[in-house]
Amino acid sequence: MWYLTGFDKPIKQRKTRKTYRNPIIQAREIALEIHLKELTQGQMARKLGCSLSRVSQMLHLLKLPEEKQREIEALGDHWDRRVVTERRLRGR
């Protein structure tokens, strides 16, 4: 005989809210990392685990007018992990 014990019911999982990087802040960090470590865009892409075209797209954001960059940057960055941290910069 089959008894329902409660273990066969689907467990309702909490949905975790995804957070995304601010693209301007991320692009500046990528550009800084490329400059400091003298990397190519391809090397940076491999380091980040993304495509070369994605790195190129991010860097092209820095060609936007300063006013637009400031507007986008003002939205904030809601992700704790950074490509370049202040601690790593001070160590150079």
Side-chain angles (χ1 to χ4, degrees):
M1 185 168 227
W2 178 258
Y3 294 98
L4 295 177
T5 60
F7 291 109
D8 56 342
K9 294 180 184 176
I11 298 171
K12 192 173 187 177
Q13 295 180 359
R14 273 192 291 167
K15 289 186 179 182
T16 57
R17 201 173 118 176
K18 288 186 177 183
T19 56
Y20 297 95
R21 296 295 316 271
N22 183 305
I24 295 295
I25 295 172
Q26 185 177 15
R28 287 184 180 150
E29 290 175 356
I30 290 171
L32 182 62
E33 183 90 357
I34 287 173
H35 176 74
L36 291 176
K37 296 193 175 182
E38 299 175 357
L39 300 173
T40 64
Q41 288 183 14
Q43 290 169 328
M44 191 67 194
R46 280 190 294 280
K47 182 177 178 179
L48 295 173
C50 64
S51 67
L52 171 62
S53 61
R54 183 67 181 144
V55 170
S56 178
Q57 290 168 354
M58 294 299 291
L59 294 175
H60 276 57
L61 290 174
L62 299 177
K63 294 181 180 180
L64 288 172
E66 274 298 317
E67 181 182 324
K68 291 295 179 189
Q69 287 186 35
R70 281 193 302 272
E71 287 177 20
I72 296 168
E73 190 175 8
L75 297 173
D77 194 16
H78 305 288
W79 198 29
D80 294 329
R81 189 170 59 137
R82 306 286 195 274
V83 175
V84 178
T85 61
E86 290 178 23
R87 188 171 5 125
R88 286 172 60 191
L89 288 176
R90 280 188 233 131
R92 278 198 137 241

